[in-house]
Amino acid sequence: MANEPDNLGVHLLKSVFGFSAFRPYQEDIIKAICRGEDVFAVMPTGGGKSLCYQFPAVVLEGVCVVISPLLSLMKDQVDSARETGLRAATINSTTSASEYGNALGAMQRKELDLLYISPERFNSPGFVEKLLNNTISFFAIDEAHCISEWGHQFRPDYLQLGRIAELFPGTPIAAFTATATDRVAADIKSRLGLRHPFEIRASFDRPNLDYTVLRKDDLNRQLLDFLKTADGQPGIIYRGTRKKVEETALMLKKHGISALPYHAGMTTEERNAVQESFTYDRVQVVVATIAFGMGIDKPNVRFVIHGDLPKNIEGYYQETGRAGRDGAPARCLLLFGYQDVLLQNSFIEKYEDPQTREVTRAQLKQMIRYAESDECRRKAILRYFGEEYPNENCGHCDYCRGAIKHVDATVDAQKALSAMQRTGNRFGIGHLVDVLVGAKTERIRKFAHDALPTYGVGKDKPKKYWHFLFNALICKGAARMRPDTDYPIPQTAELGFGILRGSETFELIDFAPTETKKRPAKKTRSRGARGTAAARRYAADSGDSDLFDVLRRRRTEIAAAYHIPPYRIFSDSTLLDMAERKPMTLDELLQVSGVGEYKMERYGQDFLDAIAEYIAESPGEEELP
Ligand code: ADP
Ligand code: ZN
């Protein structure tokens, strides 16, 4: 078959898309579409869905009609397809009459590979007739879960897409989604009327994402420490409330970090402006509530931090999934404190509907179990999504790095509980901590608590440790808040008495300490040294993280000149590969992953110049082993 991608597959993949190998399942999906079969593909964010339909769109005769739910996404996809040299157009509610005419004209002249439309457009009168008069190679339905009422993003307009199979009986339909529940999957297949589709369920594993959980004890300090290791690269910090978002953004700005807040309390214009600044790499960090989500298609998000405990694992995974869509290494950090658990529990208790209460409580429990888990983070997450991770050690989580220890905290728990008992279960955590560390406060003098045997027995540990421990004791049922007062006053509970008697033990997780290592300053970098571990994690063992910085800066300059987002020129993973290979000629540049012919012609020389300058400035570099 002339259209089978085997013949021209790898060549086309390289020359048009710039990639030297397919990602898992891409080739199978492309082949199925080329054979004329329907496709149902569940792939995680960043799995490379676009290529699955863009590739056959180039190979097959006629135009591929892509249905996509969000205007912003559609625009981004069309722009990026064009930047790859594909012939793409969009028709949606914002399309002007002349653009509309151009798109239809190009389609009629068979000069269009991809036509992106909104579901509303498909439903508008007369549009189907226009499509029927042209050769449609296949339909690609992006975010196909929008057709399901069971999904979390149901769009009534998607329901009409069920007509495609009737109206275009001989035309394949390829449906893509990153939502995996069986119910939604079944719904998608039946509503679209897929005909014995070729089905793919890709792993939800995102091997380039690194997961870490740290004990949240000094959030601001921890964020600043983390950002020191981020090399100015873009990232998102999620916080639980608008107020916290504002506070953190302000705190970061005060420390000279380029950061903007994003939450639903801001006007649409304000939010769009933030999103655009982020897209164009004009701001490094967006501090946001979960309102910042749908529509962030920025592939070079290098970290996602959760400053507060997410409500459930689905949400957590979706949010962290916004990191590293380009396949280059990215970090996900969760700052976990038992105080957040108590706070969320208090919200849950306020739900009127008992079922909602039960569901959210169960979800929160799973989230806590994840944070405290005594196994690989990746394994834990994937199991949650019904997948068994096969490897012993994933190599990219705090557990697999050996950074997590379960420590026996029975003695500390006894100290804390005894402080509670000896003060009559009548004081808040702040005061109890003061007693333990032997603080000299007025209250302590007033109640003569400095005369207690527990006074000062916890001097060897910082206050924040004891706060963490108290909250852990409450969360695990060794203590509980007194029900007879509105003040947050803990009292010993059953498990706590067992701990005091010595018949029960109390375990605590010792999370990895915050990574504070900085990259060495440029000037002092020794020859051949490849940066610190932290820098290397970013540079994906790619060798030269300094050159990577140089290339990033060049990319920003070019992007500004063309008024396009930097990532659209080349992805971070492409720049990493470039920094590793240090190509000197256009031919060598073409070997770099992500460099196709179109982009090479457009931007190639600029990057070759940057590499040549860099090498000239660091003599001897190349001869080093
Ligand atoms: P999805 O829509 O599934 O979230 P995308 O289609 O946006 O993912 O692809 C994610 C990233 O992976 C993009 O930067 C894309 O260029 C890159 N990519 C896709 N296929 C390949 C491949 N075969 N090799 C290398 N990178 C790829
Ligand atoms: Zn692991």
Side-chain angles (χ1 to χ4, degrees), residues 19 21-23 26 44-50 325-326:
F19 303 132
F22 287 105
R23 290 246 182 97
Q26 284 180 327
T45 310
K49 288 185 275 290
S50 324
R325 292 185 62 155
D326 53 12

Side-chain angles (χ1 to χ4, degrees), residues 175-432:
F176 298 90
T177 178
T179 312
T181 69
D182 290 342
R183 188 176 218 169
V184 174
D187 224 16
I188 295 172
K189 285 182 276 183
S190 86
R191 297 209 162 168
L192 285 175
L194 299 186
R195 300 143 290 197
H196 308 289
F198 175 76
E199 290 195 40
I200 285 293
R201 195 184 193 286
S203 164
F204 267 56
D205 184 21
R206 302 278 311 277
N208 60 317
L209 299 190
D210 184 292
Y211 300 95
T212 296
V213 181
L214 284 179
R215 175 199 298 164
K216 173 159 110 176
D217 46 29
D218 185 350
L219 181 68
N220 290 356
R221 184 78 262 139
Q222 288 173 303
L223 293 176
L224 290 169
D225 282 348
F226 183 96
L227 285 165
K228 279 182 203 152
T229 69
D231 290 342
Q233 303 211 59
I236 304 170
I237 298 175
Y238 281 107
R239 298 239 40 203
T241 63
R242 296 175 188 184
K243 188 160 164 272
K244 289 177 179 169
V245 163
E246 297 279 356
E247 281 167 8
T248 299
L250 199 67
M251 182 280 294
L252 293 177
K253 272 189 225 168
K254 275 193 190 136
H255 284 84
I257 287 156
S258 139
L260 287 172
Y262 185 107
H263 55 68
M266 294 158 57
T267 65
T268 311
E269 291 79 50
E270 285 168 334
R271 278 183 288 155
N272 287 346
V274 172
Q275 185 155 346
E276 188 180 299
S277 297
F278 194 51
T279 302
Y280 283 79
D281 285 349
R282 289 194 290 260
V283 66
Q284 184 199 353
V285 181
V286 173
V287 187
T289 60
I290 52 171
F292 192 54
M294 262 285 253
I296 322 173
D297 227 3
K298 183 181 170 68
N300 62 330
V301 174
R302 294 271 71 89
F303 63 85
V304 169
I305 302 178
H306 282 79
D308 302 296
L309 190 65
K311 291 189 178 55
N312 52 57
I313 294 191
E314 269 107 342
Y316 176 65
Y317 201 53
Q318 197 168 46
E319 283 136 32
T320 56
R322 302 198 170 112
R325 292 185 62 155
D326 53 12
R331 292 188 288 172
C332 309
L333 172 66
L334 168 63
L335 292 161
F336 174 72
Y338 289 100
Q339 201 158 5
D340 286 353
V341 176
L342 297 175
L343 189 70
Q344 286 200 19
N345 268 329
S346 71
F347 288 135
I348 290 173
E349 294 317 315
K350 290 192 187 109
Y351 287 126
E352 304 251 316
D353 175 21
Q355 198 181 339
T356 315
R357 254 197 329 261
E358 204 174 309
V359 171
T360 44
R361 207 182 280 140
Q363 287 177 330
L364 181 61
K365 273 214 181 95
Q366 275 163 327
M367 200 59 230
I368 300 166
R369 199 174 309 146
Y370 169 77
E372 295 180 330
S373 73
D374 196 9
E375 65 172 342
C376 167
R377 304 275 179 206
R378 197 173 302 277
K379 219 181 189 103
I381 293 178
L382 291 177
R383 171 146 358 90
Y384 181 86
F385 290 104
E387 207 180 313
E388 198 50 45
Y389 184 68
N391 302 348
E392 260 321 300
N393 187 313
C394 83
H396 291 288
C397 80
D398 49 1
Y399 182 84
C400 291
R401 273 194 299 278
I404 294 195
K405 286 196 293 282
H406 284 253
V407 289
D408 182 0
T410 310
V411 173
D412 285 345
Q414 285 169 339
K415 289 179 183 172
L417 291 163
S418 132
M420 209 183 283
Q421 285 292 90
R422 289 183 187 271
T423 54
N425 291 304
R426 287 193 297 120
F427 292 87
I429 293 175
H431 181 75
L432 296 171

Side-chain angles (χ1 to χ4, degrees), residues 357-569:
R357 254 197 329 261
E358 204 174 309
V359 171
T360 44
R361 207 182 280 140
Q363 287 177 330
L364 181 61
K365 273 214 181 95
Q366 275 163 327
M367 200 59 230
I368 300 166
R369 199 174 309 146
Y370 169 77
E372 295 180 330
S373 73
D374 196 9
E375 65 172 342
C376 167
R377 304 275 179 206
R378 197 173 302 277
K379 219 181 189 103
I381 293 178
L382 291 177
R383 171 146 358 90
Y384 181 86
F385 290 104
E387 207 180 313
E388 198 50 45
Y389 184 68
N391 302 348
E392 260 321 300
N393 187 313
C394 83
H396 291 288
C397 80
D398 49 1
Y399 182 84
C400 291
R401 273 194 299 278
I404 294 195
K405 286 196 293 282
H406 284 253
V407 289
D408 182 0
T410 310
V411 173
D412 285 345
Q414 285 169 339
K415 289 179 183 172
L417 291 163
S418 132
M420 209 183 283
Q421 285 292 90
R422 289 183 187 271
T423 54
N425 291 304
R426 287 193 297 120
F427 292 87
I429 293 175
H431 181 75
L432 296 171
V433 170
D434 281 343
V435 171
L436 284 168
V437 301
K440 296 186 169 53
T441 68
E442 206 176 327
R443 279 195 108 197
I444 285 190
R445 271 194 301 276
K446 181 170 158 202
F447 292 100
H449 284 165
D450 44 4
L452 294 174
T454 8
Y455 181 73
V457 292
K459 261 209 249 351
D460 56 324
K461 302 221 166 65
K463 275 187 171 186
K464 52 196 181 186
Y465 168 81
W466 292 110
H467 272 278
F468 188 83
L469 180 72
F470 271 112
N471 287 317
L473 286 169
I474 296 165
C475 285
K476 292 172 189 302
R480 65 182 141 97
M481 290 301 176
R482 278 176 66 151
D484 53 345
T485 161
D486 282 341
Y487 293 104
I489 301 211
Q491 62 181 172
T492 312
E494 202 172 329
L495 173 66
F497 290 117
I499 295 171
L500 281 170
R501 280 195 305 270
S503 60
E504 301 276 356
T505 56
F506 193 74
E507 224 184 43
L508 210 54
I509 304 169
D510 191 9
F511 296 107
T514 312
E515 185 164 10
T516 49
K517 261 188 236 154
K518 270 193 264 183
R519 299 179 50 184
K522 306 268 142 101
K523 295 286 175 282
T524 59
R525 180 170 146 265
S526 63
R527 292 167 122 229
R530 295 309 199 191
T532 63
R536 255 203 311 280
R537 195 159 310 135
Y538 273 116
D541 299 323
S542 67
D544 213 321
S545 56
D546 285 352
L547 177 54
F548 176 59
D549 286 347
V550 168
L551 296 175
R552 258 194 320 140
R553 278 199 297 278
R554 180 58 57 98
R555 178 178 67 178
T556 309
E557 288 159 19
I558 301 172
Y562 281 99
H563 301 290
I564 56 177
Y567 63 74
R568 198 166 294 136
I569 295 182

